[in-house]
Amino acid sequence: MDEPRHVAIVGAGPAGLAAAIYAGRGRLSTVVLEKGMPGGQILLTDWIENYPGFPTGVTPFDLMQAFRKQAETFGAEIVSDEALAIAGSDGAFVIRGHNGEYRARAVIVATGSAYRRLGVPGEERLTGAGVSYCAVCDGSFFAGRDIAVVGGGDNALKEALFLTRFAETVTLIHRRAGFRGERIYQERVAANAKIRVLLETVVCTVEGQAKVESLTLRNVKDDTSSTLPVSGLFISIGTRPRTEFIKGFLELDEWDQVKVGGDMRSSVPGVFAAGDVSDACPKQVATAVGTGVHAALSVQEYLARLS
């Protein structure tokens, strides 16, 4: 690209596409870089029923396709390329990709985060068919079912407690002899009759044809194996922000999320961050959209000051 765009957006998930809609509608020339299919991590979920405006729910694919079409209607160009590095300063940035370089006066980083996987047979194949990484997103689909949660931190304990609102039973599986989560959540888990705890245990395989039917487990202390019949598996072992390409360029927090100010600005003037990659966004589609909108509005203000 010879002429720099007003803004380059890295990532075409909910935050990136929402930013593109607002940037394009603000008459900013906008390019969006996405290495995979536009939509982001939310495409791993098979149904969304908590996004405002869809009382009967919507598929993630349909929702993200609508986002993309709206962004393109307002002039955003979506390019299939992966950002490898960002360089430059105030008003003059270059994003290097596999297929070329992209120049822009401002940048919005919206690369999201990846759920950490167990890496066991059956997990990837049954993702969206009983394997989930978000209790808030998918918990209600398992009403009256037996399900399992893997993890030992705060989020895993909170997800297990949340899932008892829907499930018949919740088996909480953790590979260590004790949980890492806060004591108050451990006490609540212990007091909940719906939750069964399996410590020093790992999931070896996820079984099922079209959907999750059972888990093969191994006790790490005595090396015995067992089978746990379940209809769902919620994996809660953390997320990994996609920030490898900006390490050393932007300031990150201890979890490798981009540190942002109240207007979604990063440590480098002219570079903003939105969605799960930032340290200011709960892991929900609606909040990712909100931060994307905020980042785009902040870009407009930033560029107006540069003029």
Side-chain angles (χ1 to χ4, degrees):
M1 295 181 183
D2 294 326
E3 284 296 317
R5 302 296 182 97
H6 286 119
V7 60
I9 300 171
V10 186
L17 291 176
I21 291 168
Y22 270 71
R25 192 170 181 273
R27 300 297 188 265
L28 302 183
S29 55
T30 304
V31 62
V32 183
L33 276 63
E34 172 56 57
K35 69 175 182 178
M37 178 181 292
Q41 190 79 9
I42 192 62
L43 295 179
L44 292 176
T45 300
D46 60 350
W47 191 254
I48 299 173
E49 62 177 11
N50 60 355
Y51 191 77
F54 295 89
T56 59
V58 61
T59 68
F61 179 81
D62 288 343
L63 182 62
M64 291 300 98
Q65 283 296 101
F67 274 39
R68 176 178 184 167
K69 184 175 181 180
Q70 192 170 1
E72 291 175 332
T73 296
F74 286 120
E77 180 185 1
I78 299 176
V79 176
S80 181
D81 201 355
E82 179 181 6
L84 303 176
I86 303 176
S89 59
D90 237 352
F93 297 97
V94 177
I95 300 173
R96 179 170 58 86
H98 283 294
N99 303 327
E101 293 186 340
Y102 307 84
R103 294 197 294 148
R105 300 182 68 198
V107 176
I108 297 174
V109 177
T111 45
S113 63
Y115 293 114
R116 296 187 186 277
R117 308 290 188 95
L118 293 175
V120 299
E123 176 185 7
E124 183 174 354
R125 179 174 60 84
L126 293 170
T127 293
V131 174
S132 174
Y133 301 85
C134 178
V136 174
C137 306
D138 299 331
S140 63
F141 302 126
F142 294 88
R145 306 289 187 87
D146 297 316
I147 60 176
V149 175
V150 177
D154 282 351
N155 196 61
L157 300 180
K158 288 189 288 185
E159 291 211 329
L161 290 164
F162 174 81
L163 288 165
T164 60
R165 302 181 189 182
F166 311 102
E168 180 68 21
T169 65
V170 177
T171 301
L172 181 55
I173 303 167
H174 185 42
R175 60 192 176 93
R176 301 187 187 278
F179 294 116
R180 303 185 313 277
E182 288 187 37
R183 177 63 60 181
I184 189 170
Y185 298 126
Q186 295 188 42
E187 291 171 354
R188 289 174 181 173
V189 163
N192 194 307
K194 281 192 171 184
I195 299 177
R196 172 196 180 199
V197 173
L198 290 179
L199 296 175
E200 298 182 298
T201 301
V202 295
V203 175
C204 297
T205 62
V206 184
E207 305 290 345
Q209 294 300 315
K211 59 183 181 179
V212 173
E213 297 172 5
S214 66
L215 307 176
T216 301
L217 308 178
R218 180 175 64 86
N219 184 289
V220 298
K221 189 174 182 179
D222 59 22
D223 206 34
T224 57
S225 296
S226 60
T227 298
L228 177 68
V230 290
S231 298
L233 171 63
F234 288 81
I235 299 169
S236 184
I237 55 175
T239 59
R240 178 179 52 81
R242 293 189 170 103
T243 52
E244 295 87 352
F245 71 106
I246 50 174
K247 285 185 177 179
F249 180 64
L250 299 183
E251 184 180 357
L252 308 179
D253 67 12
E254 60 184 306
W255 297 283
D256 285 340
Q257 300 170 123
V258 180
K259 296 182 72 172
V260 296
D263 57 0
M264 310 310 296
R265 69 186 183 279
S266 74
S267 57
V268 174
V271 179
F272 302 79
D276 290 1
V277 77
S278 74
D279 67 351
C281 184
K283 306 299 188 283
Q284 295 295 308
V285 178
T287 49
V289 168
T291 58
V293 170
H294 197 168
L297 294 175
S298 295
V299 164
Q300 294 180 45
E301 294 177 4
Y302 165 78
L303 293 176
R305 291 195 301 269
L306 281 185
S307 300

